[in-house]
Amino acid sequence: MSIQTTQLRKTYNQDTDFPVHAVKQLDLNIEQGEFVAVMGPSGSGKTTLLNMIGGIDIPSAGTVVIDGIDICSLKDQALIAFRRDNIGFIFQDYSLLPVLTALENVEFVMQLQGHSEKECRERAIALLNQVGLGDQLHKIPSKLSGGQQQRVAVARALAPSPRFVMADEPTANLDAKSTAELLDIMQQLNEKEGTTFIFSTHDPRVIKRARRVIVFEDGQLTEDRVQ
Amino acid sequence: MLIKLAWRNLWRNKLRTSIMLSAMAFGLIGVVTMIGFMNGMYGNMIDNAISWQTSHVQVHHQGFVDNPEINLTIVEPERITADLAKMSEVIAWSERFIVDGMVASARSSRGVRINGVDIDAEARVTPIATSVKAGSWLPSEGRHPVVVSSKTAQRLRLKLGSKVVITFSDADKDVTGAAFRVSGIFSTPSTSFDDGNIYVRRSDLMAMAGIEGSHEIAVLLDDSNSMSNALAIMVRDKIRLITSNENSVRDWQQIQPMLASIIAQMGPSNAILLGIFVSAMGFGVVNIMLMSVFERTREFGVLMAVGMQKHKVFALIIFETSLLGVTGATLGLVSSLALVELLQITGIPLGNMAEGLGAFGVDTTLYPQVAASEYRYIFITVVLVCVLAALYPARQILKQRPVDAMAEKH
Ligand SMILES: Nc1ncnc2c1ncn2[C@@H]1O[C@H](COP(=O)(O)OP(=O)(O)O)[C@@H](O)[C@H]1O
Ligand SMILES: [Mg+2]
């Protein structure tokens, strides 16, 4: 079980006079259970990369193969179902549904998978307890702090039991304490359940904790080290 | 969950949703009251026409229909009345001896239709006896009583007890005349009817004319549905079976084809009213849904990113617009129902308009009528239009890929 990219390329504004090469000819292999930090300055193409391997953006060229499936060739419906069952996203701005409570936000993605209401409720509560929000279940996102929202987003990403979690600058808006707590949770899950975490960051505190660091510059891989 | 989400999304912008719902509610109140007013007016017009003029079924001699000649009396009327007596649908009938003639006072004279009626029978078939405003309905005793309309009384300067002379051509085409005394003055909802009709006893008229018989048998049925002539047609056909085909038997829509065309145009004209409203409302809903969907483009991107299938995203948007429609329609129709119920008690006084409408046989106070089926029809139309109005914004969103949707600024 792995993610493999071959000759992956993404060019924005391709047909104009000013094409932007966000990702250039990238060959990458990430195995199940890895805990990977994609590091690089702003604008280096981290988000673009995560979106492509997470199947919410399509490459200009090259392929993304997950568990032997070329996800770029999947039809809309199949791709959405694939994401739903295999990939969790933690967006930089959390992107929680503002009209649903913390609990409902987490339940919702599980319900999309067709689990029973009871199952969804139990797992959602367990996850929210795990991220330390057991007492905030019924608050809507706007009543929660940034750190708390981020943790709801983590619980939501984990709820459908994905094998890969894409986290785009997950700690960008968090203080030192929240950052440490979040990393603890992710590391714990990674070790206990073998969930693969891939996060983009330029936060040295996060990079310290990663086991593999991919350095990205101007859309190109400049360093790939295991620490 | 989807419905819960849709309902909460609907109330994200409380002000906007409230404004739209109020617009729908007030619009619907307007439309429903208008439809109720039209139904009430036309229904009243038809009811009045049936009760005063056409009854449900009428029998004449074929020739009398085109040319009301005094000699063209109904063939064997007693066979018809004997049969009518056996029909359970028949409430009453009236045999009339009708001639066109003149009524003259010392001041002036007017051409009128002189209705020779059997006092009790006529009173059972039309509301004439109860519409006598001064004096009384034709008495069975006394010499040559006549009942005239207040309009005729005014024109001829007649009072109760005044003497008039009635003249017409008798069976031998000789002019015959006699003096009558005004015993009562009536007035009906139709000014044109009032203008042209006076009532005397059939026996008095037959004696003057020198022939017996009747020119018209008007039949009143036990039928309160003024929008359909089905029962009238049934009775009409029964009578046709037993009577000579020299007689003409017609139901009320044949007697007054205008009534049939009024009924026929009510549906379309109500539909046009509703159509105008729902188109206006439709554009409002398109606008609301466009705003509400496009300002959440990013959110829909996220939903698709976390694995919400497109048909579910589509369903979510359709639920939102349906809930808007159902809520608006319910609010509007419940308020309309309350208003219509209230107006059915108080009535709508027509005021100055009554005079103009009087010519068409409309009462001076209207009671709006809206059928349950019309409420249902309006409800369904409103919800349907809301759903249609959301199709475009929904399609636009579904065309996007998650990242593009998420990249959208709002
Ligand atoms: N939708 C887009 N349209 C055009 N250019 C884009 C788009 N998204 C990103 N880019 C460009 O691609 C490059 C990489 O962006 P991004 O992947 O967001 O980098 P990072 O996440 O490392 O900051 C940047 O130069 C950015 O301006
Ligand atoms: Mg980024």
Side-chain angles (χ1 to χ4, degrees), chain A residues 117-135:
Chain A
E117 252 176 63
K118 185 162 165 281
E119 231 178 317
C120 297
R121 167 113 339 163
E122 280 167 5
R123 181 163 163 79
I125 291 175
L127 276 166
L128 285 164
N129 272 322
Q130 206 180 337
V131 297
L133 289 174
D135 52 350

Side-chain angles (χ1 to χ4, degrees), chain B residues 28-43:
Chain B
L28 276 175
I29 292 174
V31 171
V32 173
T33 321
M34 198 68 187
I35 288 177
F37 183 84
M38 299 299 252
N39 288 349
M41 188 168 80
Y42 289 130

Side-chain angles (χ1 to χ4, degrees), chain A residues 11-80:
Chain A
T11 308
Y12 291 111
N13 308 334
Q14 202 154 21
D15 304 324
T16 67
D17 292 341
F18 307 100
V20 179
H21 302 286
V23 172
K24 301 168 185 164
Q25 316 285 342
L26 180 72
D27 292 306
L28 190 67
N29 190 11
I30 297 171
E31 292 298 326
Q32 169 94 39
E34 285 199 79
F35 201 64
V36 191
V38 179
M39 190 183 122
S42 184
S44 57
K46 305 184 295 294
T47 301
T48 306
L49 173 64
L50 257 55
N51 287 345
M52 284 192 292
I53 59 182
I56 55 175
D57 200 356
I58 47 168
S60 310
T63 55
V64 177
V65 177
I66 301 180
D67 291 352
I69 299 167
D70 177 4
I71 62 166
C72 310
S73 69
L74 290 179
K75 290 250 163 25
D76 254 4
Q77 293 282 54
L79 184 58
I80 291 177

